[in-house]
């Protein structure tokens, strides 16, 4: 199903269940999953015995169109521990409903995932950040003007009014900070604000974002975190800063720059993710 089709935008539990049933026959279970942001695809190379399934083969999976995202689900092993990696994600600006955007998260939960690691490329609102900086998301501001939980609540997924006081799991955050320290990688901490996009923000919007307390800005992740918390998953999220947000430098923004920065930061980002994954799947850091 394509995102720009006006019909079937609402994802029902039955649709998710059908996709789960399809995948459960093909894949081993996994406790942890990673969602990769723009240009951050290299992590999949670390998977052993990996099996990949195009999103298009998964029943009811809405199709993505964004350059730099791989529309593939990978299942494999990292140091003998099973892991799912989503090579790409769905965005609100593609014309997807937010219930379509969070379909993969509900699918992963249906497959037994309990810990979700979300990554993204983001603009730096905090002027201390430069292209390639990494930021652990400590909290978010949903500035998209929409919420994936709007509509009738599916009680089997979670409560009508889920708490967001601790949207980002403290233990996973500590693990990430510890892993960064051991690898001598600077991992900033901050607040991520989500705009709908697809236009980049104006300098005035970025000044507003800074006044609101944001450190990084992007067009994804927040709906996924909301759906994940609704489902009771533990969330860790890390932004790779691909550019200074609008108005900070005297430069125009473009998507290619986002992809390039992702590629450059990718080696460091991958080592950090690998170390975090080894730690949370039970294998100690060396
Ligand atoms: N704004 C919004 N989303 C982004 C940016 C940005 O500057 N950079 C990468 N994703």
């Amino acid at each position: 199903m394509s995102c720009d089709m006006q019909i079937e935008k609402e994802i029902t539990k039955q649709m998710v269940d059908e996709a789960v049933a399809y995948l459960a026959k093909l894949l081993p279970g996994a406790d942890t999953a990673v969602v990769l942001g723009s240009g951050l695809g290299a992590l999949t190379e670390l998977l052993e015995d990996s099996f990949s399934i195009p999103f298009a083969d998964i029943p009811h999976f809405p199709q993505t169109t964004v350059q730099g995202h791989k529309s593939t689900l990978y299942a494999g092993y990292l140091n003998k521990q099973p892991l799912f990696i989503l090579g790409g994600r769905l965005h609100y600006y593609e014309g997807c409903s937010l219930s379509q955007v969070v379909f993969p998260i509900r699918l992963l939960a249906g497959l037994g995932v309990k810990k979700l690691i979300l990554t993204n490329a983001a603009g730096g609102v905090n002027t201390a950040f430069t292209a390639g900086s990494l930021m652990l998301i400590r909290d978010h501001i949903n500035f998209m003007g929409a919420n994936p939980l709007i509509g009738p609540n599916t009680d089997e997924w979670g409560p009508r009014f889920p708490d967001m006081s601790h949207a980002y799991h403290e233990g996973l955050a500590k693990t990430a900070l510890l892993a960064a320290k051991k690898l001598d990688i600077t991992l900033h901490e901050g607040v991520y604000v989500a705009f709908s996009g697809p236009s980049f923000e104006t300098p005035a919007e970025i000044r507003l974002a800074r006044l609101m307390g944001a450190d990084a800005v992007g067009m994804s992740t927040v709906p996924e975190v909301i759906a994940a918390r609704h489902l009771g998953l533990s969330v860790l999220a890390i932004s790779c800063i691909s550019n200074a947000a609008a108005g900070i430098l005297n430069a125009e923004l473009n998507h290619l720059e986002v992809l390039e920065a992702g590629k450059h930061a990718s080696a460091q980002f991958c080592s950090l993710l690998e170390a975090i994954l080894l730690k949370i799947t039970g294998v100690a850091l060396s």
Side-chain angles (χ1 to χ4, degrees):
M1 187 197 349
S2 138
C3 278
D4 49 33
M5 273 169 59
Q6 288 308 306
I7 49 166
E8 264 203 284
K9 284 217 160 190
E10 270 323 298
I11 299 284
T12 60
K13 182 160 186 305
Q14 189 184 336
M15 290 160 83
V16 174
D17 289 348
E18 281 169 19
V20 169
Y22 170 83
L23 289 174
K25 279 195 231 128
L26 302 175
L27 306 176
D31 173 73
T32 305
V34 182
V35 177
L36 297 177
S38 303
L40 303 171
L43 189 75
T44 55
E45 288 158 25
L46 299 178
L47 279 185
E48 287 149 25
D49 296 330
S50 92
F51 189 86
S52 62
I53 302 179
F55 292 166
D57 290 359
I58 303 173
H60 309 296
F61 204 120
Q63 303 306 302
T64 50
T65 54
V66 187
Q67 199 190 346
H69 281 265
K70 263 239 149 95
S71 303
T72 307
L73 167 66
Y74 302 86
Y77 295 85
L78 187 72
N79 252 31
K80 313 262 182 295
Q81 304 303 312
L83 178 68
F84 292 135
I85 300 180
L86 283 179
R89 56 154 55 89
L90 307 160
H91 302 84
Y92 192 36
Y93 62 72
E94 290 173 81
C96 300
S97 68
L98 284 189
S99 101
Q100 288 178 314
V101 167
V102 303
F103 174 88
I105 306 304
R106 291 175 171 155
L107 179 61
L108 291 170
L111 289 169
V113 165
K114 301 274 182 276
K115 295 182 201 117
L116 183 66
I117 302 181
L118 299 168
T119 67
N120 61 44
V125 174
N126 187 323
T127 52
F129 298 172
T130 53
S133 292
L134 300 179
M135 186 192 91
L136 176 66
I137 303 181
R138 282 306 207 155
D139 204 349
H140 72 227
I141 298 169
N142 181 9
F143 211 61
M144 279 189 162
N147 187 302
L149 305 182
I150 287 176
N153 188 54
T154 301
D155 297 336
E156 294 98 317
W157 280 334
R160 170 75 291 187
F161 301 108
D163 181 37
M164 290 289 143
S165 312
H166 305 283
Y168 299 84
H169 191 270
E170 187 57 34
L172 292 178
K174 288 236 165 76
T175 301
L177 289 166
L178 189 71
K181 199 167 173 205
K182 288 215 168 165
L183 293 172
D184 208 14
I185 290 173
T186 305
L187 182 58
H188 300 278
E189 300 175 63
V191 174
Y192 176 95
V193 59
F195 281 68
S196 70
S199 52
F200 284 111
E201 303 70 35
T202 62
E205 285 165 347
I206 294 304
R207 288 195 297 276
L208 172 66
R210 196 173 299 116
L211 278 176
M212 291 193 296
D215 298 286
V217 58
M219 305 173 191
S220 69
T221 308
V222 165
E224 295 159 26
V225 174
I226 293 171
R229 293 303 300 139
H230 184 233
L231 290 154
L233 307 189
S234 302
V235 175
L236 173 73
I238 302 177
S239 292
C240 173
I241 304 299
S242 53
N243 56 281
I248 295 178
L249 303 175
N250 195 16
E252 293 196 356
L253 305 182
N254 64 68
H255 188 57
L256 267 186
E257 175 189 24
V258 171
L259 297 183
E260 280 305 310
K263 269 188 218 144
H264 281 120
S266 168
Q268 201 182 44
F269 202 36
C270 261
S271 351
L272 178 60
L273 281 175
E274 185 184 11
I276 294 169
L277 285 164
L278 294 182
K279 191 91 178 140
I280 66 180
T281 54
V283 185
L285 279 173
S286 55

